C-alpha cells in the first residue's frame, strides 16, 4: 500500500495527514513541487532481468525522458538472501547509507517496479513520509532535504533516472532529524 504520512518536523507524533488515497497523496505532494504517479507493474518483476524490465518500461521511460534530460537510467535491486549468512550485515549496510538527511544536486526520480521503500521529505516545518510500492513513480526536486528507508528487510526494484553519472551522490547535512521519526517498518505497522 502506498502511504503518505505528514508530520510536524519538530514532533513526529503530531501527525497531520495519514492516507493511502493516491489522489490525496498526489495532490499533497504536488503542493510541494513533488511529482507522484503510477505505472502498471510487471507480475513477477523480481524474476525479470534488468534489461528485460527496462525494455518493458521503454515507452513510459521515453515519455518521462522526452526532453533527454536523464542521461543515465538504470535499475537498483536488493532482495533478501536467506542463504547468505552475511545477508543481515549487507542489508543493514545498504539501509544505513541513506538513513541520514541529505540532498542531491539533481532531481531524485524513482519508479518502484516491485517492493517498497520510504522517502522522508523534510519540507520546512513538516516531514512527509512517502511509502512507495510497486507501481509508484516519485520525483523529488533537486535540493530537497530528505532521507530514505528501505526497511529492516530490504526488498525492492527501482528504475533510477540521473542527469549525471554521479547524480545519486548525497550531500549529507549532519542533522540527526531522521532518528526522531518512525522507520518504514514502524509506519507500516501503525494503525
Amino acid at each position: 500500500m502506498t502511504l503518505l504520512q505528514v508530520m510536524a518536523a519538530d514532533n513526529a507524533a503530531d501527525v497531520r495527514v495519514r492516507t493511502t488515497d493516491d489522489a490525496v497523496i498526489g495532490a499533497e505532494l504536488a503542493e510541494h513541487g513533488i511529482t507522484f504517479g503510477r505505472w502498471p507493474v510487471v507480475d513477477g518483476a523480481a524474476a525479470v532481468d534488468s534489461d528485460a524490465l527496462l525494455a518493458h518500461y521503454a515507452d513510459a521511460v521515453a515519455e518521462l525522458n522526452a526532453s533527454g534530460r536523464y542521461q543515465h537510467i538504470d535499475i537498483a535491486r536488493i532482495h533478501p538472501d536467506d542463504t547468505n549468512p552475511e545477508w543481515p550485515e549487507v542489508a543493514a549496510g545498504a539501509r544505513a547509507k541513506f538513513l541520514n538527511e541529505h540532498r542531491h544536486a539533481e532531481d531524485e526520480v524513482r519508479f518502484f517496479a516491485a517492493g517498497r521503500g520510504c522517502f522522508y521529505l523534510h519540507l520546512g516545518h513538516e516531514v512527509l513520509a512517502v511509502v512507495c510500492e510497486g507501481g509508484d513513480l516519485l520525483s523529488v526536486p533537486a535540493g530537497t532535504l530528505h532521507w530514505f528507508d528501505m526497511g529492516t528487510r530490504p526488498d525492492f526494484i527501482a528504475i533510477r533516472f540521473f542527469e549525471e553519472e554521479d547524480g545519486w551522490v548525497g550531500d549529507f547535512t549532519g542533522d540527526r532529524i531522521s532518528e526522531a521519526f518512525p522507520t518504514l517498518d514502524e509506519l507500516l505497522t501503525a494503525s
Side-chain angles (χ1 to χ4, degrees):
M1 119 198 103
T2 305
L3 169 72
L4 171 67
Q5 183 163 305
V6 179
M7 298 158 281
D10 62 354
N11 180 8
D14 180 1
V15 177
R16 298 167 177 185
V17 174
R18 182 176 169 92
T19 184
T20 58
D21 183 311
D22 284 352
V24 174
I25 293 170
E28 182 75 29
L29 295 174
E31 287 181 23
H32 301 283
I34 297 158
T35 302
F36 172 77
R38 304 267 309 149
W39 292 355
V41 295
V42 173
D43 289 334
V48 178
D49 74 39
S50 294
D51 289 338
L53 206 52
L54 283 171
H56 176 81
Y57 288 108
D59 290 343
V61 167
E63 184 178 333
L64 178 71
N65 195 31
S67 68
R69 176 179 177 186
Y70 302 110
Q71 299 298 305
H72 305 277
I73 300 168
D74 68 9
I75 291 187
R77 293 175 175 262
I78 187 164
H79 301 290
D81 182 359
D82 296 325
T83 65
N84 180 354
E86 296 177 13
W87 165 249
E89 289 114 29
V90 170
R95 181 181 187 211
K97 283 183 189 178
F98 300 105
L99 277 177
N100 292 313
E101 185 180 70
H102 61 280
R103 67 182 68 115
H104 300 282
E106 61 182 61
D107 295 353
E108 184 160 357
V109 183
R110 301 291 182 269
F111 167 69
F112 284 80
R116 73 169 54 108
C118 185
F119 284 91
Y120 295 80
L121 311 171
H122 183 185
L123 305 172
H125 298 292
E126 293 182 322
V127 170
L128 285 66
V130 186
V131 177
C132 294
E133 296 211 326
D136 291 340
L137 173 71
L138 191 69
S139 179
V140 179
T144 302
L145 295 173
H146 69 283
W147 62 94
F148 179 76
D149 186 4
M150 59 184 78
T152 54
R153 190 168 169 81
D155 188 5
F156 68 86
I157 302 170
I159 299 178
R160 307 181 304 173
F161 298 80
F162 301 110
E163 294 173 38
E164 302 291 332
E165 197 167 348
D166 63 352
W168 64 272
V169 175
D171 172 23
F172 289 86
T173 66
D175 191 328
R176 309 298 288 186
I177 187 172
S178 62
E179 295 172 3
F181 285 83
T183 65
L184 168 61
D185 299 314
E186 291 167 339
L187 284 171
L188 294 175
T189 58
S191 55

